[in-house]
Amino acid sequence: MDERNRTKKAQVIDFRRDGDLFYQKGMTSFRKGDFERARHYLDRAIQFNPNAVDYLCRQAEILSELENYELSNRLLKKVVYELDSNVTDCYFLLANNYAYLGEFQDALDEIQIYLTVEPNGTFRHEAEDLYRMLSSELKELEGDERPYVTEHERGRLALEHGHFDEAVHHFKQVIEDEPDFLAAQNNLSIAYFSMGDSVHAFDAVKRVLQKDPGNIHALCNLATFFDQLGQQKERAAVVAVLGRLYPIYPEHCGKLGSTYLLIGEDQKAYQWLNVAEKRGVHRDQVFYYWTALAAYRCGNLESARKHWRRADYFSDKPFHPFKYNKIQDMMFEADASETSW
């Protein structure tokens, strides 16, 4: 090669594609309103750096513009709960997405978080306006429901958040208004037992079984209570009854499976949780956690891995770390950590 060609060769620029290049191309398309092309470029950028907060946040905005609110929320939750909790604008963006999805209570929850952590934030006024609008909308919707249903939902949420006294108050009000609403009786028994009041917990279960001797939720609660109290003879009697049950509804199958898991009957737990899944039970992070743990304890590691990945609480509805303490404790049990591949 002569000197002239060698010099020309040396001047060739080594052009490498990287995430920033595709990010900039995406932003150019975004500013032009070409959201599909912008999404394509941001996808390429994220492939180079899956944990780049700027990439993920911008892609979440683009997805929201494309009305893909669920996927937008997944990215936002990954950012704020996994990568950088200081990107608090994510809470406001989450609220907007939930509002468009019609999930007003979830939207209100996100707004409350945003206004708590950023009382003077960039979107403060927009958040306050959205909060007022959604609160009004929810009141109208609740006005169309039977009052005791709304009261029961309040009790259920209080129970889920560990506010047991408040839960008892709501459930007792429901029972006073609608004595045959057995779901309130069952949840009342759980609230009492969680407070350490086993006498009233058993009384509530008995009232249910007097009206409906085969009530699966009541029998499952009874088995769990006896197991936790170490009353093995009574536990065995109830478990024998559970063993003769063959529920049809997927929710009942799931309740049976989760109960078996809580009392250490892992094979039966895995069997009934699988039945529930096949029959179309509502599957959330807790359900996938139960199934992963049951599969792990039964030695089915492939199923455990599959369900554990789905238990990732960034994927569907959020379990805020400071809000769902009970679930977070379950996630970090000794057995659970061993399934965290």
Side-chain angles (χ1 to χ4, degrees):
M1 181 182 294
D2 59 30
E3 190 65 28
R4 183 177 60 186
N5 288 338
R6 186 177 292 109
T7 302
K8 184 178 180 181
K9 182 75 173 178
Q11 291 175 346
V12 174
I13 298 173
D14 181 17
F15 178 73
R16 294 184 300 161
R17 294 186 172 188
D18 60 16
D20 285 339
L21 171 69
F22 289 112
Y23 176 74
Q24 293 302 329
K25 285 180 174 288
M27 291 307 301
T28 299
S29 297
F30 180 75
R31 285 189 286 269
K32 292 179 179 178
D34 189 347
F35 300 123
E36 283 290 357
R37 186 179 294 274
R39 175 183 179 174
H40 169 74
Y41 282 128
L42 265 295
D43 278 341
R44 297 291 299 275
I46 291 169
Q47 287 175 10
F48 280 95
N49 191 346
N51 294 325
V53 170
D54 288 343
Y55 297 178
L56 294 170
C57 287
R58 189 62 69 181
Q59 183 72 311
E61 289 184 57
I62 294 167
L63 290 167
S64 184
E65 293 288 348
L66 292 169
E67 300 183 7
N68 192 339
Y69 304 115
E70 292 91 345
L71 184 53
S72 175
N73 279 353
R74 292 185 189 184
L75 298 184
L76 292 169
K77 284 181 274 185
K78 179 176 181 180
V79 169
V80 78
Y81 293 129
E82 187 177 284
L83 299 176
D84 188 351
S85 61
N86 293 317
V87 190
T88 51
D89 286 353
C90 289
Y91 294 120
F92 177 71
L93 299 175
L94 282 163
N96 271 290
N97 286 345
Y98 279 126
Y100 280 116
L101 288 167
E103 298 178 14
F104 298 149
Q105 187 57 59
D106 288 327
L108 286 172
D109 289 345
E110 297 297 341
I111 295 172
Q112 287 177 325
I113 295 169
Y114 176 73
L115 291 175
T116 298
V117 298
E118 290 288 354
N120 298 305
T122 305
F123 299 106
R124 172 191 168 188
H125 297 298
E126 293 90 338
E128 290 172 345
D129 289 342
L130 184 58
Y131 186 87
R132 283 191 290 268
M133 182 188 74
L134 293 176
S135 297
S136 176
E137 191 73 23
L138 272 179
K139 286 179 181 178
E140 289 184 15
L141 290 173
E142 289 179 357
D144 295 334
E145 286 187 338
R146 290 165 292 180
Y148 71 87
V149 174
T150 302
E151 190 76 18
H152 181 260
E153 180 64 13
R154 290 172 179 160
R156 190 191 64 77
L157 288 172
L159 179 61
E160 190 176 67
H161 289 66
H163 303 153
F164 304 124
D165 286 328
E166 182 184 345
V168 167
H169 169 76
H170 289 301
F171 294 139
K172 289 176 72 174
Q173 185 62 54
V174 171
I175 294 165
E176 182 179 332
D177 296 339
E178 193 66 27
D180 293 328
F181 192 46
L182 299 185
Q185 290 277 13
N186 281 323
N187 282 327
L188 178 64
S189 71
I190 296 172
Y192 274 133
F193 194 82
S194 300
M195 294 168 62
D197 188 347
S198 57
V199 173
H200 283 96
F202 282 114
D203 285 344
V205 173
K206 289 175 184 177
R207 285 194 293 271
V208 174
L209 294 176
Q210 285 172 355
K211 294 182 178 181
D212 180 11
N215 188 283
I216 290 177
H217 285 273
L219 291 169
C220 286
N221 290 341
L222 202 57
T224 304
F225 297 165
F226 284 137
D227 181 79
Q228 293 190 29
L229 291 172
Q231 298 181 13
Q232 296 304 317
K233 182 178 178 180
E234 293 83 354
R235 172 193 182 279
V238 180
V239 170
V241 175
L242 295 181
R244 296 193 292 270
L245 298 178
Y246 293 91
I248 297 174
Y249 297 111
E251 291 77 12
H252 290 168
C253 298
K255 176 70 174 180
L256 198 55
S258 62
T259 299
Y260 277 129
L261 183 66
L262 290 171
I263 65 175
E265 301 273 352
D266 300 323
Q267 290 289 348
K268 291 180 180 179
Y270 187 49
Q271 171 195 338
W272 281 108
L273 289 169
N274 272 304
V275 171
E277 187 169 19
K278 290 175 182 176
R279 292 183 182 176
V281 73
H282 172 67
R283 288 164 286 181
D284 56 12
Q285 293 92 331
V286 182
F287 178 84
Y288 284 127
Y289 170 80
W290 286 334
T291 309
L293 189 55
Y296 176 76
R297 289 177 176 173
C298 292
N300 191 334
L301 299 186
E302 182 180 352
S303 177
R305 290 187 182 97
K306 179 183 75 172
H307 287 91
W308 183 254
R309 285 193 294 269
R310 293 176 179 175
D312 179 355
Y313 60 83
F314 305 118
S315 60
D316 289 302
K317 299 185 78 171
F319 281 104
H320 298 303
F322 55 86
K323 192 171 178 185
Y324 288 90
N325 296 326
K326 187 174 182 180
I327 301 304
Q328 289 298 302
D329 290 342
M330 290 171 65
M331 290 290 187
F332 293 105
E333 281 185 1
D335 283 342
S337 64
E338 293 181 71
T339 61
S340 304
W341 294 277

